[in-house]
PDB file of all heavy atoms in Angstrom:
ATOM      1  N   LYS A   1     103.617  81.637  81.643  1.00  0.00           N
ATOM      2  CA  LYS A   1     102.194  81.773  81.353  1.00  0.00           C
ATOM      3  C   LYS A   1     101.848  83.180  80.847  1.00  0.00           C
ATOM      4  O   LYS A   1     100.803  83.369  80.228  1.00  0.00           O
ATOM      5  CB  LYS A   1     101.370  81.471  82.610  1.00  0.00           C
ATOM      6  CG  LYS A   1     101.499  80.037  83.081  1.00  0.00           C
ATOM      7  CD  LYS A   1     100.735  79.832  84.375  1.00  0.00           C
ATOM      8  CE  LYS A   1     100.970  78.435  84.905  1.00  0.00           C
ATOM      9  NZ  LYS A   1     100.320  78.227  86.202  1.00  0.00           N
ATOM     10  N   ILE A   2     102.706  84.150  81.111  1.00  0.00           N
ATOM     11  CA  ILE A   2     102.446  85.526  80.662  1.00  0.00           C
ATOM     12  C   ILE A   2     102.614  85.589  79.148  1.00  0.00           C
ATOM     13  O   ILE A   2     103.617  85.165  78.600  1.00  0.00           O
ATOM     14  CB  ILE A   2     103.408  86.521  81.354  1.00  0.00           C
ATOM     15  CG1 ILE A   2     103.126  86.556  82.856  1.00  0.00           C
ATOM     16  CG2 ILE A   2     103.296  87.917  80.737  1.00  0.00           C
ATOM     17  CD1 ILE A   2     104.093  87.400  83.650  1.00  0.00           C
ATOM     18  N   LYS A   3     101.610  86.117  78.485  1.00  0.00           N
ATOM     19  CA  LYS A   3     101.629  86.187  77.012  1.00  0.00           C
ATOM     20  C   LYS A   3     101.942  87.595  76.499  1.00  0.00           C
ATOM     21  O   LYS A   3     102.416  87.758  75.391  1.00  0.00           O
ATOM     22  CB  LYS A   3     100.289  85.725  76.430  1.00  0.00           C
ATOM     23  CG  LYS A   3      99.956  84.279  76.777  1.00  0.00           C
ATOM     24  CD  LYS A   3     100.982  83.335  76.202  1.00  0.00           C
ATOM     25  CE  LYS A   3     100.669  81.905  76.611  1.00  0.00           C
ATOM     26  NZ  LYS A   3     101.813  81.038  76.635  1.00  0.00           N
ATOM     27  N   THR A   4     101.616  88.625  77.297  1.00  0.00           N
ATOM     28  CA  THR A   4     101.897  89.995  76.867  1.00  0.00           C
ATOM     29  C   THR A   4     102.463  90.791  78.036  1.00  0.00           C
ATOM     30  O   THR A   4     102.161  90.510  79.198  1.00  0.00           O
ATOM     31  CB  THR A   4     100.636  90.711  76.346  1.00  0.00           C
ATOM     32  OG1 THR A   4      99.665  90.724  77.385  1.00  0.00           O
ATOM     33  CG2 THR A   4     100.082  90.031  75.113  1.00  0.00           C
ATOM     34  N   ILE A   5     103.253  91.791  77.707  1.00  0.00           N
ATOM     35  CA  ILE A   5     103.828  92.678  78.710  1.00  0.00           C
ATOM     36  C   ILE A   5     103.600  94.106  78.235  1.00  0.00           C
ATOM     37  O   ILE A   5     103.868  94.428  77.068  1.00  0.00           O
ATOM     38  CB  ILE A   5     105.348  92.431  78.871  1.00  0.00           C
ATOM     39  CG1 ILE A   5     105.613  91.010  79.366  1.00  0.00           C
ATOM     40  CG2 ILE A   5     105.975  93.451  79.804  1.00  0.00           C
ATOM     41  CD1 ILE A   5     107.082  90.642  79.402  1.00  0.00           C
ATOM     42  N   ALA A   6     103.126  94.978  79.106  1.00  0.00           N
ATOM     43  CA  ALA A   6     102.954  96.396  78.778  1.00  0.00           C
ATOM     44  C   ALA A   6     104.277  97.110  79.019  1.00  0.00           C
ATOM     45  O   ALA A   6     104.864  97.006  80.100  1.00  0.00           O
ATOM     46  CB  ALA A   6     101.861  97.013  79.641  1.00  0.00           C
ATOM     47  N   VAL A   7     104.775  97.789  78.016  1.00  0.00           N
ATOM     48  CA  VAL A   7     105.976  98.606  78.145  1.00  0.00           C
ATOM     49  C   VAL A   7     105.501 100.047  78.047  1.00  0.00           C
ATOM     50  O   VAL A   7     105.046 100.476  76.987  1.00  0.00           O
ATOM     51  CB  VAL A   7     107.005  98.287  77.031  1.00  0.00           C
ATOM     52  CG1 VAL A   7     108.252  99.128  77.196  1.00  0.00           C
ATOM     53  CG2 VAL A   7     107.346  96.797  77.054  1.00  0.00           C
ATOM     54  N   ILE A   8     105.589 100.780  79.150  1.00  0.00           N
ATOM     55  CA  ILE A   8     105.003 102.113  79.188  1.00  0.00           C
ATOM     56  C   ILE A   8     106.038 103.144  79.631  1.00  0.00           C
ATOM     57  O   ILE A   8     107.101 102.801  80.142  1.00  0.00           O
ATOM     58  CB  ILE A   8     103.787 102.162  80.136  1.00  0.00           C
ATOM     59  CG1 ILE A   8     104.196 101.720  81.546  1.00  0.00           C
ATOM     60  CG2 ILE A   8     102.669 101.288  79.619  1.00  0.00           C
ATOM     61  CD1 ILE A   8     103.108 101.871  82.577  1.00  0.00           C
ATOM     62  N   GLY A   9     105.697 104.401  79.409  1.00  0.00           N
ATOM     63  CA  GLY A   9     106.554 105.497  79.849  1.00  0.00           C
ATOM     64  C   GLY A   9     107.226 106.188  78.685  1.00  0.00           C
ATOM     65  O   GLY A   9     107.378 105.631  77.594  1.00  0.00           O
ATOM     66  N   ALA A  10     107.619 107.415  78.944  1.00  0.00           N
ATOM     67  CA  ALA A  10     108.204 108.264  77.895  1.00  0.00           C
ATOM     68  C   ALA A  10     109.506 107.697  77.342  1.00  0.00           C
ATOM     69  O   ALA A  10     109.865 107.956  76.196  1.00  0.00           O
ATOM     70  CB  ALA A  10     108.433 109.661  78.454  1.00  0.00           C
ATOM     71  N   ASN A  11     110.222 106.921  78.121  1.00  0.00           N
ATOM     72  CA  ASN A  11     111.533 106.427  77.679  1.00  0.00           C
ATOM     73  C   ASN A  11     111.490 105.031  77.052  1.00  0.00           C
ATOM     74  O   ASN A  11     112.514 104.522  76.623  1.00  0.00           O
ATOM     75  CB  ASN A  11     112.510 106.414  78.853  1.00  0.00           C
ATOM     76  CG  ASN A  11     112.820 107.808  79.330  1.00  0.00           C
ATOM     77  OD1 ASN A  11     112.858 108.746  78.539  1.00  0.00           O
ATOM     78  ND2 ASN A  11     113.028 107.948  80.622  1.00  0.00           N
ATOM     79  N   ALA A  12     110.326 104.428  77.002  1.00  0.00           N
ATOM     80  CA  ALA A  12     110.221 103.053  76.514  1.00  0.00           C
ATOM     81  C   ALA A  12     110.720 102.876  75.088  1.00  0.00           C
ATOM     82  O   ALA A  12     111.286 101.845  74.742  1.00  0.00           O
ATOM     83  CB  ALA A  12     108.776 102.563  76.618  1.00  0.00           C
ATOM     84  N   ASP A  13     110.491 103.879  74.257  1.00  0.00           N
ATOM     85  CA  ASP A  13     110.895 103.771  72.859  1.00  0.00           C
ATOM     86  C   ASP A  13     111.845 104.910  72.469  1.00  0.00           C
ATOM     87  O   ASP A  13     111.871 105.349  71.330  1.00  0.00           O
ATOM     88  CB  ASP A  13     109.657 103.782  71.953  1.00  0.00           C
ATOM     89  CG  ASP A  13     109.944 103.149  70.594  1.00  0.00           C
ATOM     90  OD1 ASP A  13     110.850 102.299  70.510  1.00  0.00           O
ATOM     91  OD2 ASP A  13     109.270 103.513  69.614  1.00  0.00           O
ATOM     92  N   ASP A  14     112.645 105.372  73.438  1.00  0.00           N
ATOM     93  CA  ASP A  14     113.553 106.497  73.227  1.00  0.00           C
ATOM     94  C   ASP A  14     114.996 105.989  73.238  1.00  0.00           C
ATOM     95  O   ASP A  14     115.552 105.707  74.292  1.00  0.00           O
ATOM     96  CB  ASP A  14     113.340 107.532  74.330  1.00  0.00           C
ATOM     97  CG  ASP A  14     114.177 108.781  74.156  1.00  0.00           C
ATOM     98  OD1 ASP A  14     115.063 108.803  73.282  1.00  0.00           O
ATOM     99  OD2 ASP A  14     113.941 109.743  74.903  1.00  0.00           O
ATOM    100  N   SER A  15     115.581 105.897  72.066  1.00  0.00           N
ATOM    101  CA  SER A  15     116.952 105.372  71.990  1.00  0.00           C
ATOM    102  C   SER A  15     117.972 106.351  72.549  1.00  0.00           C
ATOM    103  O   SER A  15     118.975 105.951  73.135  1.00  0.00           O
ATOM    104  CB  SER A  15     117.309 105.010  70.550  1.00  0.00           C
ATOM    105  OG  SER A  15     117.320 106.164  69.738  1.00  0.00           O
ATOM    106  N   VAL A  16     117.731 107.649  72.425  1.00  0.00           N
ATOM    107  CA  VAL A  16     118.687 108.638  72.924  1.00  0.00           C
ATOM    108  C   VAL A  16     118.773 108.575  74.449  1.00  0.00           C
ATOM    109  O   VAL A  16     119.850 108.760  75.033  1.00  0.00           O
ATOM    110  CB  VAL A  16     118.318 110.058  72.437  1.00  0.00           C
ATOM    111  CG1 VAL A  16     119.246 111.106  73.033  1.00  0.00           C
ATOM    112  CG2 VAL A  16     118.376 110.117  70.915  1.00  0.00           C
ATOM    113  N   MET A  17     117.656 108.294  75.120  1.00  0.00           N
ATOM    114  CA  MET A  17     117.664 108.160  76.573  1.00  0.00           C
ATOM    115  C   MET A  17     118.661 107.094  77.012  1.00  0.00           C
ATOM    116  O   MET A  17     119.293 107.209  78.057  1.00  0.00           O
ATOM    117  CB  MET A  17     116.243 107.813  77.053  1.00  0.00           C
ATOM    118  CG  MET A  17     116.099 107.513  78.529  1.00  0.00           C
ATOM    119  SD  MET A  17     116.484 105.832  79.103  1.00  0.00           S
ATOM    120  CE  MET A  17     115.490 104.795  78.088  1.00  0.00           C
ATOM    121  N   LEU A  18     118.841 106.072  76.214  1.00  0.00           N
ATOM    122  CA  LEU A  18     119.756 104.983  76.564  1.00  0.00           C
ATOM    123  C   LEU A  18     121.218 105.429  76.588  1.00  0.00           C
ATOM    124  O   LEU A  18     122.051 104.775  77.197  1.00  0.00           O
ATOM    125  CB  LEU A  18     119.604 103.824  75.569  1.00  0.00           C
ATOM    126  CG  LEU A  18     118.237 103.149  75.542  1.00  0.00           C
ATOM    127  CD1 LEU A  18     118.171 102.167  74.387  1.00  0.00           C
ATOM    128  CD2 LEU A  18     117.974 102.439  76.856  1.00  0.00           C
ATOM    129  N   TRP A  19     121.518 106.534  75.940  1.00  0.00           N
ATOM    130  CA  TRP A  19     122.900 107.013  75.914  1.00  0.00           C
ATOM    131  C   TRP A  19     123.339 107.518  77.277  1.00  0.00           C
ATOM    132  O   TRP A  19     124.516 107.555  77.576  1.00  0.00           O
ATOM    133  CB  TRP A  19     123.062 108.142  74.903  1.00  0.00           C
ATOM    134  CG  TRP A  19     122.752 107.796  73.489  1.00  0.00           C
ATOM    135  CD1 TRP A  19     122.381 106.575  72.990  1.00  0.00           C
ATOM    136  CD2 TRP A  19     122.741 108.682  72.378  1.00  0.00           C
ATOM    137  NE1 TRP A  19     122.152 106.660  71.639  1.00  0.00           N
ATOM    138  CE2 TRP A  19     122.368 107.945  71.232  1.00  0.00           C
ATOM    139  CE3 TRP A  19     123.006 110.031  72.236  1.00  0.00           C
ATOM    140  CZ2 TRP A  19     122.272 108.508  69.980  1.00  0.00           C
ATOM    141  CZ3 TRP A  19     122.909 110.599  70.984  1.00  0.00           C
ATOM    142  CH2 TRP A  19     122.551 109.842  69.866  1.00  0.00           C
ATOM    143  N   ALA A  20     122.375 107.949  78.093  1.00  0.00           N
ATOM    144  CA  ALA A  20     122.647 108.519  79.416  1.00  0.00           C
ATOM    145  C   ALA A  20     123.536 109.736  79.263  1.00  0.00           C
ATOM    146  O   ALA A  20     123.361 110.522  78.344  1.00  0.00           O
ATOM    147  CB  ALA A  20     123.238 107.461  80.343  1.00  0.00           C
ATOM    148  N   ASN A  21     124.509 109.902  80.167  1.00  0.00           N
ATOM    149  CA  ASN A  21     125.459 110.994  80.009  1.00  0.00           C
ATOM    150  C   ASN A  21     126.863 110.396  79.867  1.00  0.00           C
ATOM    151  O   ASN A  21     127.024 109.190  79.905  1.00  0.00           O
ATOM    152  CB  ASN A  21     125.382 111.986  81.175  1.00  0.00           C
ATOM    153  CG  ASN A  21     125.477 111.320  82.529  1.00  0.00           C
ATOM    154  OD1 ASN A  21     125.706 110.130  82.629  1.00  0.00           O
ATOM    155  ND2 ASN A  21     125.295 112.088  83.575  1.00  0.00           N
ATOM    156  N   TYR A  22     127.840 111.228  79.670  1.00  0.00           N
ATOM    157  CA  TYR A  22     129.209 110.796  79.369  1.00  0.00           C
ATOM    158  C   TYR A  22     129.208 109.920  78.117  1.00  0.00           C
ATOM    159  O   TYR A  22     129.925 108.933  78.029  1.00  0.00           O
ATOM    160  CB  TYR A  22     129.846 110.004  80.518  1.00  0.00           C
ATOM    161  CG  TYR A  22     129.762 110.654  81.869  1.00  0.00           C
ATOM    162  CD1 TYR A  22     128.921 110.163  82.850  1.00  0.00           C
ATOM    163  CD2 TYR A  22     130.539 111.758  82.168  1.00  0.00           C
ATOM    164  CE1 TYR A  22     128.853 110.756  84.097  1.00  0.00           C
ATOM    165  CE2 TYR A  22     130.472 112.350  83.408  1.00  0.00           C
ATOM    166  CZ  TYR A  22     129.633 111.845  84.372  1.00  0.00           C
ATOM    167  OH  TYR A  22     129.568 112.429  85.595  1.00  0.00           O
ATOM    168  N   ASN A  23     128.364 110.237  77.171  1.00  0.00           N
ATOM    169  CA  ASN A  23     128.178 109.336  76.045  1.00  0.00           C
ATOM    170  C   ASN A  23     128.892 109.803  74.788  1.00  0.00           C
ATOM    171  O   ASN A  23     129.190 110.977  74.618  1.00  0.00           O
ATOM    172  CB  ASN A  23     126.687 109.199  75.727  1.00  0.00           C
ATOM    173  CG  ASN A  23     126.085 110.504  75.251  1.00  0.00           C
ATOM    174  OD1 ASN A  23     125.815 111.377  76.060  1.00  0.00           O
ATOM    175  ND2 ASN A  23     125.892 110.642  73.949  1.00  0.00           N
ATOM    176  N   GLY A  24     129.121 108.844  73.910  1.00  0.00           N
ATOM    177  CA  GLY A  24     129.490 109.125  72.541  1.00  0.00           C
ATOM    178  C   GLY A  24     128.220 108.995  71.723  1.00  0.00           C
ATOM    179  O   GLY A  24     127.107 109.171  72.243  1.00  0.00           O
ATOM    180  N   PHE A  25     128.381 108.659  70.461  1.00  0.00           N
ATOM    181  CA  PHE A  25     127.227 108.505  69.587  1.00  0.00           C
ATOM    182  C   PHE A  25     127.256 107.101  69.005  1.00  0.00           C
ATOM    183  O   PHE A  25     128.008 106.830  68.075  1.00  0.00           O
ATOM    184  CB  PHE A  25     127.241 109.581  68.492  1.00  0.00           C
ATOM    185  CG  PHE A  25     127.163 110.959  69.077  1.00  0.00           C
ATOM    186  CD1 PHE A  25     128.314 111.707  69.277  1.00  0.00           C
ATOM    187  CD2 PHE A  25     125.945 111.494  69.457  1.00  0.00           C
ATOM    188  CE1 PHE A  25     128.252 112.970  69.840  1.00  0.00           C
ATOM    189  CE2 PHE A  25     125.866 112.756  70.026  1.00  0.00           C
ATOM    190  CZ  PHE A  25     127.024 113.496  70.218  1.00  0.00           C
ATOM    191  N   PRO A  26     126.465 106.192  69.570  1.00  0.00           N
ATOM    192  CA  PRO A  26     126.493 104.794  69.124  1.00  0.00           C
ATOM    193  C   PRO A  26     125.977 104.644  67.704  1.00  0.00           C
ATOM    194  O   PRO A  26     125.127 105.418  67.256  1.00  0.00           O
ATOM    195  CB  PRO A  26     125.571 104.084  70.124  1.00  0.00           C
ATOM    196  CG  PRO A  26     124.673 105.143  70.635  1.00  0.00           C
ATOM    197  CD  PRO A  26     125.461 106.415  70.615  1.00  0.00           C
TER     198      PRO A  26
END
């Protein structure tokens, strides 16, 4: 029944944050 979801926060649209640590470069 849910039609929309709020995605909030500084990391919501940050692809580099997804790399975390010990990372290469995807």
Side-chain angles (χ1 to χ4, degrees):
K1 295 176 185 176
I2 295 175
K3 299 298 177 206
T4 59
I5 297 174
V7 181
I8 57 174
N11 294 327
D13 202 26
D14 183 351
S15 64
V16 176
M17 175 277 306
L18 297 172
W19 299 358
N21 51 6
Y22 309 108
N23 65 282
F25 299 97

